[in-house]
Amino acid sequence: MQRQNLEMDGVTFIGVISACTHTGLTNDGQRYFDIMVKDHHIEPRMEHYSCMVDLYGRAGMLVKAMEIINEMPFPASANVWRTLLAASCVHRNLELGKLAADKLISLQPQNPASYVLLTNMYASVGKWKERAKVRKLMEEKKVKKVAGYSWIEVKNKTYTFLAGDVSHPLSNQIYAKLEELSSRLKGAGYHPDTSYVLQDVDEEYKEAILSQHSERLAIAFGLIGTPPGTPLQIVKNLRICGDCHSVIKLISILEGRDIVVRDSNRFHHFKGGLCSCGDYW
């Protein structure tokens, strides 16, 4: 745009900073924010500050993200607090996560996302009593948790899966494929990361829960329902967990498939054991 002498506005920099956010280019993101303000004299809006909080939050620089919120010339929006809460959950910063959740709940008391992220964060650090209290608060406020599901299109028909779903007519074949994959995955060096199971159950059951996540069911169905080598495209309404991300990278090698997963954050293109996100999302 500079070479073509095209005028840049606030939307231009939202796109550029967001790109830096999703690729871990923290210093570049800050540099472009500074260029926007100092060189182009564009007054930062809430969206720009939200991008900056996301930029530092994803990088695990949560103190810096909080500094940006404190320095904003106006009160932080619900989206800003949600961004900080999500980052706190990923990086397990209980103190900032609790602060962000309290702010978010006060702004949007009926939004289930804040409660779910908070319960997930408590579960990730083994604080089951605190998790139970948040669950009880959800019940009192009649806030419903959004179920995680994935869907895939095969032969011009869309199929939807929930975690542990057995409603599909080919469930037996789907779970048989998962069993086969499980054996091959372990042979390839896979070790389940049960920290992503946010329930107070024993390790064996945690492994079973992981193996039945909705995206894995969708992929297993895609593998048995399409010819070898056919690319698979899955959509998930929530963020893909880190363990499933590792598994799908391995499946792309074992099955020789390109697999695209669109989760709530971004597109993941798995090919040859790698993901287009560079393991940064």
Side-chain angles (χ1 to χ4, degrees):
M1 291 180 75
Q2 287 179 323
R3 285 196 296 269
Q4 296 291 329
N5 292 318
L6 296 174
E7 182 180 355
M8 288 177 273
D9 58 15
V11 176
T12 307
F13 285 95
I14 288 175
V16 173
I17 297 169
S18 294
C20 293
T21 295
H22 283 281
T23 48
L25 300 175
T26 310
N27 292 335
D28 286 337
Q30 181 66 63
R31 181 166 60 86
Y32 285 119
F33 181 85
D34 294 338
I35 288 172
M36 179 186 77
V37 175
K38 296 174 182 177
D39 296 350
H40 293 269
H41 308 291
I42 296 172
E43 193 73 24
R45 301 196 307 269
M46 186 70 74
E47 294 86 349
H48 298 106
Y49 286 110
S50 182
C51 285
M52 294 303 292
V53 171
D54 199 14
L55 176 78
Y56 284 108
R58 287 176 189 268
M61 301 171 67
L62 299 176
V63 173
K64 179 64 176 177
M66 192 65 215
E67 287 177 1
I68 290 171
I69 293 175
N70 290 332
E71 292 169 1
M72 288 168 52
F74 32 67
S77 66
N79 189 55
V80 170
W81 289 117
R82 189 179 301 109
T83 298
L84 182 65
L85 175 55
S88 299
C89 187
V90 170
H91 296 288
R92 301 182 181 182
N93 187 315
L94 197 59
E95 182 181 354
L96 282 183
K98 181 66 168 60
L99 170 65
D102 288 343
K103 295 286 187 180
L104 188 53
I105 290 172
S106 68
L107 291 170
Q108 296 182 339
Q110 294 304 120
N111 189 331
S114 50
Y115 300 91
V116 171
L117 285 169
L118 185 57
T119 58
N120 288 352
M121 185 169 57
Y122 279 137
S124 69
V125 294
K127 291 187 174 291
W128 304 110
K129 289 183 179 179
E130 287 81 354
R131 178 179 184 266
K133 289 178 182 178
V134 178
R135 286 283 189 156
K136 185 177 180 181
L137 182 62
M138 290 179 70
E139 292 176 4
E140 292 172 354
K141 292 181 176 290
K142 297 181 179 179
V143 177
K144 298 289 185 180
K145 178 183 177 181
V146 177
Y149 58 90
S150 299
W151 61 96
I152 183 173
E153 185 177 300
V154 174
K155 298 177 182 177
N156 297 318
K157 186 175 180 181
T158 301
Y159 299 86
T160 303
F161 296 89
L162 295 166
D165 206 334
V166 293
S167 63
H168 195 281
L170 298 179
S171 280
N172 288 339
Q173 291 95 314
I174 291 170
Y175 279 92
K177 183 63 179 179
L178 286 175
E179 281 291 325
E180 175 211 320
L181 284 172
S182 177
S183 176
R184 292 166 65 197
L185 286 165
K186 289 180 179 178
Y190 163 66
H191 297 285
D193 187 347
T194 56
S195 67
Y196 289 101
V197 177
L198 306 175
Q199 299 176 37
D200 190 13
V201 294
D202 61 46
E203 287 297 309
E204 185 177 348
Y205 189 51
K206 285 183 179 182
E207 290 186 22
I209 291 172
L210 281 175
S211 69
Q212 297 174 14
H213 276 186
S214 63
E215 56 267 52
R216 299 199 202 184
L217 293 172
I219 289 171
F221 174 65
L223 291 173
I224 65 175
T226 60
T230 304
L232 302 181
Q233 297 181 353
I234 290 92
V235 179
K236 181 169 184 177
N237 67 326
L238 302 177
R239 184 182 190 272
I240 186 173
C241 85
D243 188 73
C244 285
H245 194 270
S246 299
V247 162
I248 300 172
K249 285 196 296 183
L250 286 172
I251 290 175
S252 72
I253 299 175
L254 297 174
E255 294 287 334
R257 302 273 192 133
D258 281 21
I259 304 173
V260 175
V261 179
R262 173 65 169 102
D263 72 358
S264 61
N265 280 29
R266 64 180 297 162
F267 282 93
H268 299 266
H269 182 191
F270 300 90
K271 182 177 181 179
L274 300 174
C275 180
S276 58
C277 76
D279 299 339
Y280 191 92
W281 82 103

